[in-house]
Amino acid sequence: MSRTLSLQVVLISSVAASFLHFAEGNFLEAAAPCPPLNFKCMNGNCISPVVFCNGKNECGDNSDEKFCKVEPSFRCPDDWTSCPNRRRCIPSHWMCDGRKHCPVVSEETICAKKSELMSWFLQRRNSGNKADRWGPQVNRIAVALHLANKNTFSPGNSTGEEIRYELAMQLTRRLAKDKKMSSEELALYIHALLVACMDPTDFYGDNLVQELRKRVEADESYTNPFLILVLCNAGDAMTNKDVERVSAAYDSQHRPFWTDTQALASMALYCITNRSGVEVDVRILRDYLQDLKKHRFPNGTVDNFRTTALVVQALFIYDSYQTEFNLELAMKVLMDGVNATKSILTAYYILPALHEKSLIDVSSSHCSKQPVEEDDALQKILVIDGETMTVHYSVWIGDEINVGRTWRLKISVKSTIYDAIETVAKIDNRQKVEYNVVKLKPYVAALNGKEDDPEMGMFWFVYLKPINSEEEPKVVEKSPADVKLEPNQEIILWYKRGSWNVQPEVKQDDKSSTVVF
């Protein structure tokens, strides 16, 4: 009898314990794996998100309440994200999951605006020429998309690959068409090259960072602080003179509506402070940031949407927004700006701010150490035994010399123009050339879908000129297969108006055809 009674007591106690455990845990699931939508307690238990931050210790270790009421200055731990009001941290994987987890301003509201603005950027792409789908501000689009999504230029991302290709073609065209593009435009391209994982210190032989530095040093009057920020982000050596330039730029901007320049100056000074050996009085930077807060209007705006976004970006420095600045209200202004703006420039500043990123975050640190696909192909193609030489190969379209792209090639000595053309075609199959064969000699007749067009008077011509020379290119009258190259020559395939009368005279019994080699 005593054994039976003992067994009954044990069973009843076990059932009671299980019931109490369920009642007190309120959806507590200790043994089963925790679904992504649920909250995994620090002790391994799992609770429903419905009871997260409900003021009760649902986990048993209070980890579900630990970050529910924090100060705006509190920095959320890794894998946690701050709510828009900065008063709560939530698991990062809960962001943009379609459910509200934050009080006052839902994180889903910002998610919707982020998604809306990202879609707006992606819709800037047109279906026209594949070399001109993103338009003249592709440099800003590249930076904004990267700061919003660090995977934009990851290998295999078709959008990133397309932007990278167009960026290279557009920049090459701009450099050839106008050697004196503004320093600000050059700086925008350097930023874009960094995020697109292309080296601005070696853009097909041109060191764009060095060129920008030369221009900054040559200007003794005023330096746009954006130029210093770009040089700093690109890893150029900073100097005390750069600090003086940035400080002078900040101090000179006391006119209304120039607050955006002061925000850029603050970001440039922060970059110098943290990424160089130059000593900077941090108190000056903190004063700058404090002064920026004074420009905010009661409705949260700082002058306009664009300037508000720039000031918010600057105030991410040292989390300066935490005192005497209503970040929640400023973010609401930016979200309203998403609906109001039709400007790429404004959207380019707002999108990173919504993702709590700034122009300080522009770098190439996200890039794979492995070369991008095209460069990898280039290296494989150009492994050459024996003596080599360097030549450039360019494609020009139209009488105004719109350059499609320039390649820097290392090829065997005694190579011909034809060899160089075929080498580029192996690297990039979009550059495959069709030839008109006369007397068994190939002459360029088509490239990338553009054919000799006698009705329009447009033909392909081959020219040669020394690299980096101001000399006029000279037309090549012989077949590309018959012209041996010399070191440091530039081969130019130019599609332009003109009469094609430089081919050898064709006898009636000659046969010609168009073939792809």
PDB file of all heavy atoms in Angstrom, residues 339-371:
ATOM      1  N   ASN A 339       7.601  60.732 -49.522  1.00  0.00           N
ATOM      2  CA  ASN A 339       6.399  60.950 -50.331  1.00  0.00           C
ATOM      3  C   ASN A 339       6.503  62.207 -51.177  1.00  0.00           C
ATOM      4  O   ASN A 339       5.972  62.273 -52.287  1.00  0.00           O
ATOM      5  CB  ASN A 339       5.167  61.068 -49.416  1.00  0.00           C
ATOM      6  CG  ASN A 339       4.893  59.793 -48.648  1.00  0.00           C
ATOM      7  OD1 ASN A 339       5.138  58.697 -49.149  1.00  0.00           O
ATOM      8  ND2 ASN A 339       4.396  59.925 -47.433  1.00  0.00           N
ATOM      9  N   ALA A 340       7.206  63.206 -50.653  1.00  0.00           N
ATOM     10  CA  ALA A 340       7.233  64.507 -51.313  1.00  0.00           C
ATOM     11  C   ALA A 340       8.309  64.626 -52.383  1.00  0.00           C
ATOM     12  O   ALA A 340       8.136  65.325 -53.374  1.00  0.00           O
ATOM     13  CB  ALA A 340       7.431  65.608 -50.275  1.00  0.00           C
ATOM     14  N   THR A 341       9.440  63.943 -52.194  1.00  0.00           N
ATOM     15  CA  THR A 341      10.575  64.177 -53.075  1.00  0.00           C
ATOM     16  C   THR A 341      10.435  63.477 -54.419  1.00  0.00           C
ATOM     17  O   THR A 341       9.941  62.362 -54.506  1.00  0.00           O
ATOM     18  CB  THR A 341      11.886  63.726 -52.422  1.00  0.00           C
ATOM     19  OG1 THR A 341      12.971  64.068 -53.297  1.00  0.00           O
ATOM     20  CG2 THR A 341      11.916  62.215 -52.210  1.00  0.00           C
ATOM     21  N   LYS A 342      10.885  64.167 -55.442  1.00  0.00           N
ATOM     22  CA  LYS A 342      11.022  63.578 -56.771  1.00  0.00           C
ATOM     23  C   LYS A 342      12.456  63.788 -57.252  1.00  0.00           C
ATOM     24  O   LYS A 342      12.740  63.688 -58.436  1.00  0.00           O
ATOM     25  CB  LYS A 342      10.043  64.226 -57.754  1.00  0.00           C
ATOM     26  CG  LYS A 342       8.568  64.045 -57.388  1.00  0.00           C
ATOM     27  CD  LYS A 342       8.156  62.582 -57.419  1.00  0.00           C
ATOM     28  CE  LYS A 342       6.679  62.423 -57.075  1.00  0.00           C
ATOM     29  NZ  LYS A 342       6.260  61.004 -57.044  1.00  0.00           N
ATOM     30  N   SER A 343      13.339  64.061 -56.325  1.00  0.00           N
ATOM     31  CA  SER A 343      14.718  64.407 -56.646  1.00  0.00           C
ATOM     32  C   SER A 343      15.658  63.288 -56.228  1.00  0.00           C
ATOM     33  O   SER A 343      15.612  62.828 -55.078  1.00  0.00           O
ATOM     34  CB  SER A 343      15.099  65.710 -55.922  1.00  0.00           C
ATOM     35  OG  SER A 343      16.486  65.866 -55.830  1.00  0.00           O
ATOM     36  N   ILE A 344      16.507  62.840 -57.140  1.00  0.00           N
ATOM     37  CA  ILE A 344      17.503  61.827 -56.801  1.00  0.00           C
ATOM     38  C   ILE A 344      18.453  62.364 -55.744  1.00  0.00           C
ATOM     39  O   ILE A 344      18.862  61.638 -54.828  1.00  0.00           O
ATOM     40  CB  ILE A 344      18.280  61.390 -58.056  1.00  0.00           C
ATOM     41  CG1 ILE A 344      17.396  60.506 -58.942  1.00  0.00           C
ATOM     42  CG2 ILE A 344      19.556  60.624 -57.683  1.00  0.00           C
ATOM     43  CD1 ILE A 344      18.069  59.982 -60.186  1.00  0.00           C
ATOM     44  N   LEU A 345      18.798  63.647 -55.834  1.00  0.00           N
ATOM     45  CA  LEU A 345      19.720  64.234 -54.863  1.00  0.00           C
ATOM     46  C   LEU A 345      19.162  64.132 -53.450  1.00  0.00           C
ATOM     47  O   LEU A 345      19.855  63.691 -52.526  1.00  0.00           O
ATOM     48  CB  LEU A 345      19.985  65.702 -55.222  1.00  0.00           C
ATOM     49  CG  LEU A 345      20.876  66.478 -54.246  1.00  0.00           C
ATOM     50  CD1 LEU A 345      22.250  65.842 -54.155  1.00  0.00           C
ATOM     51  CD2 LEU A 345      20.981  67.943 -54.663  1.00  0.00           C
ATOM     52  N   THR A 346      17.900  64.513 -53.257  1.00  0.00           N
ATOM     53  CA  THR A 346      17.299  64.446 -51.922  1.00  0.00           C
ATOM     54  C   THR A 346      17.154  63.000 -51.463  1.00  0.00           C
ATOM     55  O   THR A 346      17.470  62.661 -50.314  1.00  0.00           O
ATOM     56  CB  THR A 346      15.923  65.149 -51.928  1.00  0.00           C
ATOM     57  OG1 THR A 346      16.103  66.515 -52.314  1.00  0.00           O
ATOM     58  CG2 THR A 346      15.290  65.113 -50.549  1.00  0.00           C
ATOM     59  N   ALA A 347      16.680  62.146 -52.345  1.00  0.00           N
ATOM     60  CA  ALA A 347      16.517  60.734 -51.992  1.00  0.00           C
ATOM     61  C   ALA A 347      17.863  60.089 -51.652  1.00  0.00           C
ATOM     62  O   ALA A 347      17.947  59.212 -50.792  1.00  0.00           O
ATOM     63  CB  ALA A 347      15.848  59.992 -53.143  1.00  0.00           C
ATOM     64  N   TYR A 348      18.917  60.528 -52.328  1.00  0.00           N
ATOM     65  CA  TYR A 348      20.274  60.027 -52.100  1.00  0.00           C
ATOM     66  C   TYR A 348      20.742  60.317 -50.673  1.00  0.00           C
ATOM     67  O   TYR A 348      21.498  59.538 -50.083  1.00  0.00           O
ATOM     68  CB  TYR A 348      21.180  60.678 -53.142  1.00  0.00           C
ATOM     69  CG  TYR A 348      22.646  60.842 -52.829  1.00  0.00           C
ATOM     70  CD1 TYR A 348      23.525  59.767 -52.890  1.00  0.00           C
ATOM     71  CD2 TYR A 348      23.162  62.099 -52.527  1.00  0.00           C
ATOM     72  CE1 TYR A 348      24.877  59.939 -52.651  1.00  0.00           C
ATOM     73  CE2 TYR A 348      24.510  62.284 -52.288  1.00  0.00           C
ATOM     74  CZ  TYR A 348      25.371  61.201 -52.347  1.00  0.00           C
ATOM     75  OH  TYR A 348      26.697  61.377 -52.115  1.00  0.00           O
ATOM     76  N   TYR A 349      20.267  61.401 -50.091  1.00  0.00           N
ATOM     77  CA  TYR A 349      20.612  61.709 -48.705  1.00  0.00           C
ATOM     78  C   TYR A 349      19.658  61.045 -47.711  1.00  0.00           C
ATOM     79  O   TYR A 349      20.065  60.635 -46.622  1.00  0.00           O
ATOM     80  CB  TYR A 349      20.581  63.228 -48.485  1.00  0.00           C
ATOM     81  CG  TYR A 349      21.692  63.987 -49.165  1.00  0.00           C
ATOM     82  CD1 TYR A 349      21.414  65.106 -49.938  1.00  0.00           C
ATOM     83  CD2 TYR A 349      23.016  63.583 -49.038  1.00  0.00           C
ATOM     84  CE1 TYR A 349      22.436  65.804 -50.577  1.00  0.00           C
ATOM     85  CE2 TYR A 349      24.033  64.279 -49.671  1.00  0.00           C
ATOM     86  CZ  TYR A 349      23.742  65.392 -50.436  1.00  0.00           C
ATOM     87  OH  TYR A 349      24.758  66.078 -51.067  1.00  0.00           O
ATOM     88  N   ILE A 350      18.369  60.937 -48.074  1.00  0.00           N
ATOM     89  CA  ILE A 350      17.376  60.402 -47.142  1.00  0.00           C
ATOM     90  C   ILE A 350      17.534  58.899 -46.930  1.00  0.00           C
ATOM     91  O   ILE A 350      17.468  58.407 -45.790  1.00  0.00           O
ATOM     92  CB  ILE A 350      15.946  60.712 -47.636  1.00  0.00           C
ATOM     93  CG1 ILE A 350      15.657  62.218 -47.522  1.00  0.00           C
ATOM     94  CG2 ILE A 350      14.911  59.934 -46.825  1.00  0.00           C
ATOM     95  CD1 ILE A 350      14.276  62.617 -48.011  1.00  0.00           C
ATOM     96  N   LEU A 351      17.747  58.135 -48.009  1.00  0.00           N
ATOM     97  CA  LEU A 351      17.772  56.680 -47.895  1.00  0.00           C
ATOM     98  C   LEU A 351      18.820  56.186 -46.889  1.00  0.00           C
ATOM     99  O   LEU A 351      18.499  55.369 -46.020  1.00  0.00           O
ATOM    100  CB  LEU A 351      17.992  56.041 -49.269  1.00  0.00           C
ATOM    101  CG  LEU A 351      17.896  54.512 -49.308  1.00  0.00           C
ATOM    102  CD1 LEU A 351      16.522  54.026 -48.854  1.00  0.00           C
ATOM    103  CD2 LEU A 351      18.189  53.977 -50.712  1.00  0.00           C
ATOM    104  N   PRO A 352      20.080  56.653 -46.939  1.00  0.00           N
ATOM    105  CA  PRO A 352      21.038  56.210 -45.925  1.00  0.00           C
ATOM    106  C   PRO A 352      20.624  56.603 -44.506  1.00  0.00           C
ATOM    107  O   PRO A 352      20.798  55.822 -43.563  1.00  0.00           O
ATOM    108  CB  PRO A 352      22.336  56.918 -46.337  1.00  0.00           C
ATOM    109  CG  PRO A 352      22.168  57.208 -47.787  1.00  0.00           C
ATOM    110  CD  PRO A 352      20.706  57.499 -47.963  1.00  0.00           C
ATOM    111  N   ALA A 353      20.072  57.815 -44.344  1.00  0.00           N
ATOM    112  CA  ALA A 353      19.675  58.268 -43.010  1.00  0.00           C
ATOM    113  C   ALA A 353      18.608  57.353 -42.416  1.00  0.00           C
ATOM    114  O   ALA A 353      18.638  57.038 -41.221  1.00  0.00           O
ATOM    115  CB  ALA A 353      19.173  59.710 -43.073  1.00  0.00           C
ATOM    116  N   LEU A 354      17.649  56.914 -43.227  1.00  0.00           N
ATOM    117  CA  LEU A 354      16.616  55.995 -42.744  1.00  0.00           C
ATOM    118  C   LEU A 354      17.217  54.671 -42.298  1.00  0.00           C
ATOM    119  O   LEU A 354      16.652  53.975 -41.447  1.00  0.00           O
ATOM    120  CB  LEU A 354      15.562  55.761 -43.827  1.00  0.00           C
ATOM    121  CG  LEU A 354      14.649  56.938 -44.177  1.00  0.00           C
ATOM    122  CD1 LEU A 354      13.669  56.545 -45.270  1.00  0.00           C
ATOM    123  CD2 LEU A 354      13.892  57.437 -42.947  1.00  0.00           C
ATOM    124  N   HIS A 355      18.367  54.314 -42.878  1.00  0.00           N
ATOM    125  CA  HIS A 355      19.052  53.073 -42.497  1.00  0.00           C
ATOM    126  C   HIS A 355      20.136  53.328 -41.447  1.00  0.00           C
ATOM    127  O   HIS A 355      20.955  52.451 -41.170  1.00  0.00           O
ATOM    128  CB  HIS A 355      19.676  52.410 -43.724  1.00  0.00           C
ATOM    129  CG  HIS A 355      18.681  51.731 -44.623  1.00  0.00           C
ATOM    130  ND1 HIS A 355      17.920  52.433 -45.535  1.00  0.00           N
ATOM    131  CD2 HIS A 355      18.302  50.427 -44.732  1.00  0.00           C
ATOM    132  CE1 HIS A 355      17.134  51.571 -46.187  1.00  0.00           C
ATOM    133  NE2 HIS A 355      17.344  50.376 -45.718  1.00  0.00           N
ATOM    134  N   GLU A 356      20.111  54.552 -40.881  1.00  0.00           N
ATOM    135  CA  GLU A 356      21.098  54.946 -39.861  1.00  0.00           C
ATOM    136  C   GLU A 356      22.523  54.817 -40.386  1.00  0.00           C
ATOM    137  O   GLU A 356      23.441  54.392 -39.681  1.00  0.00           O
ATOM    138  CB  GLU A 356      20.898  54.153 -38.568  1.00  0.00           C
ATOM    139  CG  GLU A 356      19.528  54.375 -37.961  1.00  0.00           C
ATOM    140  CD  GLU A 356      19.367  53.738 -36.593  1.00  0.00           C
ATOM    141  OE1 GLU A 356      20.386  53.476 -35.946  1.00  0.00           O
ATOM    142  OE2 GLU A 356      18.211  53.495 -36.192  1.00  0.00           O
ATOM    143  N   LYS A 357      22.697  55.187 -41.650  1.00  0.00           N
ATOM    144  CA  LYS A 357      24.010  55.220 -42.286  1.00  0.00           C
ATOM    145  C   LYS A 357      24.293  56.647 -42.730  1.00  0.00           C
ATOM    146  O   LYS A 357      23.391  57.475 -42.812  1.00  0.00           O
ATOM    147  CB  LYS A 357      24.064  54.281 -43.488  1.00  0.00           C
ATOM    148  CG  LYS A 357      23.880  52.819 -43.153  1.00  0.00           C
ATOM    149  CD  LYS A 357      25.079  52.264 -42.420  1.00  0.00           C
ATOM    150  CE  LYS A 357      24.940  50.770 -42.176  1.00  0.00           C
ATOM    151  NZ  LYS A 357      26.122  50.224 -41.449  1.00  0.00           N
ATOM    152  N   SER A 358      25.554  56.920 -43.026  1.00  0.00           N
ATOM    153  CA  SER A 358      25.926  58.251 -43.484  1.00  0.00           C
ATOM    154  C   SER A 358      27.021  58.141 -44.527  1.00  0.00           C
ATOM    155  O   SER A 358      27.565  57.053 -44.783  1.00  0.00           O
ATOM    156  CB  SER A 358      26.416  59.101 -42.307  1.00  0.00           C
ATOM    157  OG  SER A 358      27.727  58.715 -41.925  1.00  0.00           O
ATOM    158  N   LEU A 359      27.381  59.269 -45.130  1.00  0.00           N
ATOM    159  CA  LEU A 359      28.451  59.285 -46.126  1.00  0.00           C
ATOM    160  C   LEU A 359      29.792  58.909 -45.518  1.00  0.00           C
ATOM    161  O   LEU A 359      30.723  58.576 -46.250  1.00  0.00           O
ATOM    162  CB  LEU A 359      28.532  60.671 -46.775  1.00  0.00           C
ATOM    163  CG  LEU A 359      27.311  61.086 -47.605  1.00  0.00           C
ATOM    164  CD1 LEU A 359      27.488  62.495 -48.162  1.00  0.00           C
ATOM    165  CD2 LEU A 359      27.073  60.100 -48.747  1.00  0.00           C
ATOM    166  N   ILE A 360      29.897  58.934 -44.211  1.00  0.00           N
ATOM    167  CA  ILE A 360      31.123  58.465 -43.549  1.00  0.00           C
ATOM    168  C   ILE A 360      31.302  56.965 -43.767  1.00  0.00           C
ATOM    169  O   ILE A 360      32.421  56.450 -43.740  1.00  0.00           O
ATOM    170  CB  ILE A 360      31.082  58.762 -42.035  1.00  0.00           C
ATOM    171  CG1 ILE A 360      30.945  60.270 -41.803  1.00  0.00           C
ATOM    172  CG2 ILE A 360      32.326  58.249 -41.324  1.00  0.00           C
ATOM    173  CD1 ILE A 360      30.689  60.638 -40.354  1.00  0.00           C
ATOM    174  N   ASP A 361      30.204  56.263 -44.001  1.00  0.00           N
ATOM    175  CA  ASP A 361      30.243  54.806 -44.142  1.00  0.00           C
ATOM    176  C   ASP A 361      30.610  54.343 -45.542  1.00  0.00           C
ATOM    177  O   ASP A 361      30.626  53.140 -45.809  1.00  0.00           O
ATOM    178  CB  ASP A 361      28.890  54.203 -43.746  1.00  0.00           C
ATOM    179  CG  ASP A 361      28.547  54.458 -42.289  1.00  0.00           C
ATOM    180  OD1 ASP A 361      29.375  54.135 -41.427  1.00  0.00           O
ATOM    181  OD2 ASP A 361      27.451  55.006 -42.020  1.00  0.00           O
ATOM    182  N   VAL A 362      30.905  55.266 -46.445  1.00  0.00           N
ATOM    183  CA  VAL A 362      31.318  54.888 -47.799  1.00  0.00           C
ATOM    184  C   VAL A 362      32.737  54.327 -47.743  1.00  0.00           C
ATOM    185  O   VAL A 362      33.664  54.983 -47.275  1.00  0.00           O
ATOM    186  CB  VAL A 362      31.271  56.098 -48.751  1.00  0.00           C
ATOM    187  CG1 VAL A 362      31.921  55.745 -50.091  1.00  0.00           C
ATOM    188  CG2 VAL A 362      29.835  56.546 -48.954  1.00  0.00           C
ATOM    189  N   SER A 363      32.897  53.107 -48.216  1.00  0.00           N
ATOM    190  CA  SER A 363      34.214  52.466 -48.244  1.00  0.00           C
ATOM    191  C   SER A 363      34.148  51.259 -49.162  1.00  0.00           C
ATOM    192  O   SER A 363      33.099  50.954 -49.733  1.00  0.00           O
ATOM    193  CB  SER A 363      34.647  52.032 -46.840  1.00  0.00           C
ATOM    194  OG  SER A 363      33.921  50.887 -46.425  1.00  0.00           O
ATOM    195  N   SER A 364      35.263  50.561 -49.274  1.00  0.00           N
ATOM    196  CA  SER A 364      35.292  49.321 -50.054  1.00  0.00           C
ATOM    197  C   SER A 364      35.513  48.123 -49.136  1.00  0.00           C
ATOM    198  O   SER A 364      35.857  47.037 -49.606  1.00  0.00           O
ATOM    199  CB  SER A 364      36.414  49.380 -51.103  1.00  0.00           C
ATOM    200  OG  SER A 364      37.669  49.595 -50.473  1.00  0.00           O
ATOM    201  N   SER A 365      35.299  48.303 -47.830  1.00  0.00           N
ATOM    202  CA  SER A 365      35.562  47.230 -46.871  1.00  0.00           C
ATOM    203  C   SER A 365      34.654  46.024 -47.076  1.00  0.00           C
ATOM    204  O   SER A 365      34.984  44.917 -46.646  1.00  0.00           O
ATOM    205  CB  SER A 365      35.404  47.761 -45.443  1.00  0.00           C
ATOM    206  OG  SER A 365      34.081  48.226 -45.224  1.00  0.00           O
ATOM    207  N   HIS A 366      33.506  46.219 -47.717  1.00  0.00           N
ATOM    208  CA  HIS A 366      32.563  45.125 -47.948  1.00  0.00           C
ATOM    209  C   HIS A 366      32.962  44.273 -49.144  1.00  0.00           C
ATOM    210  O   HIS A 366      32.393  43.207 -49.358  1.00  0.00           O
ATOM    211  CB  HIS A 366      31.174  45.694 -48.213  1.00  0.00           C
ATOM    212  CG  HIS A 366      31.128  46.589 -49.414  1.00  0.00           C
ATOM    213  ND1 HIS A 366      31.661  47.860 -49.403  1.00  0.00           N
ATOM    214  CD2 HIS A 366      30.648  46.397 -50.675  1.00  0.00           C
ATOM    215  CE1 HIS A 366      31.506  48.408 -50.589  1.00  0.00           C
ATOM    216  NE2 HIS A 366      30.892  47.547 -51.387  1.00  0.00           N
ATOM    217  N   CYS A 367      33.918  44.753 -49.924  1.00  0.00           N
ATOM    218  CA  CYS A 367      34.261  44.080 -51.177  1.00  0.00           C
ATOM    219  C   CYS A 367      35.033  42.793 -50.922  1.00  0.00           C
ATOM    220  O   CYS A 367      35.887  42.728 -50.036  1.00  0.00           O
ATOM    221  CB  CYS A 367      35.082  45.012 -52.069  1.00  0.00           C
ATOM    222  SG  CYS A 367      34.213  46.530 -52.517  1.00  0.00           S
ATOM    223  N   SER A 368      34.735  41.801 -51.735  1.00  0.00           N
ATOM    224  CA  SER A 368      35.461  40.544 -51.654  1.00  0.00           C
ATOM    225  C   SER A 368      36.905  40.758 -52.054  1.00  0.00           C
ATOM    226  O   SER A 368      37.225  41.575 -52.922  1.00  0.00           O
ATOM    227  CB  SER A 368      34.814  39.506 -52.577  1.00  0.00           C
ATOM    228  OG  SER A 368      35.619  38.366 -52.709  1.00  0.00           O
ATOM    229  N   LYS A 369      37.796  40.046 -51.399  1.00  0.00           N
ATOM    230  CA  LYS A 369      39.204  40.140 -51.776  1.00  0.00           C
ATOM    231  C   LYS A 369      39.455  39.519 -53.137  1.00  0.00           C
ATOM    232  O   LYS A 369      40.468  39.774 -53.772  1.00  0.00           O
ATOM    233  CB  LYS A 369      40.077  39.457 -50.713  1.00  0.00           C
ATOM    234  CG  LYS A 369      40.066  40.180 -49.372  1.00  0.00           C
ATOM    235  CD  LYS A 369      40.992  39.519 -48.371  1.00  0.00           C
ATOM    236  CE  LYS A 369      40.990  40.273 -47.054  1.00  0.00           C
ATOM    237  NZ  LYS A 369      41.878  39.644 -46.052  1.00  0.00           N
ATOM    238  N   GLN A 370      38.515  38.679 -53.569  1.00  0.00           N
ATOM    239  CA  GLN A 370      38.635  38.083 -54.894  1.00  0.00           C
ATOM    240  C   GLN A 370      38.219  39.110 -55.938  1.00  0.00           C
ATOM    241  O   GLN A 370      37.295  39.887 -55.731  1.00  0.00           O
ATOM    242  CB  GLN A 370      37.726  36.854 -55.013  1.00  0.00           C
ATOM    243  CG  GLN A 370      38.110  35.740 -54.047  1.00  0.00           C
ATOM    244  CD  GLN A 370      39.497  35.215 -54.305  1.00  0.00           C
ATOM    245  OE1 GLN A 370      39.912  35.086 -55.450  1.00  0.00           O
ATOM    246  NE2 GLN A 370      40.236  34.917 -53.248  1.00  0.00           N
ATOM    247  N   PRO A 371      38.847  39.155 -57.094  1.00  0.00           N
ATOM    248  CA  PRO A 371      38.464  40.124 -58.123  1.00  0.00           C
ATOM    249  C   PRO A 371      37.036  39.881 -58.580  1.00  0.00           C
ATOM    250  O   PRO A 371      36.525  38.768 -58.490  1.00  0.00           O
ATOM    251  CB  PRO A 371      39.459  39.851 -59.274  1.00  0.00           C
ATOM    252  CG  PRO A 371      40.556  39.045 -58.666  1.00  0.00           C
ATOM    253  CD  PRO A 371      39.958  38.289 -57.518  1.00  0.00           C
TER     254      PRO A 371
END
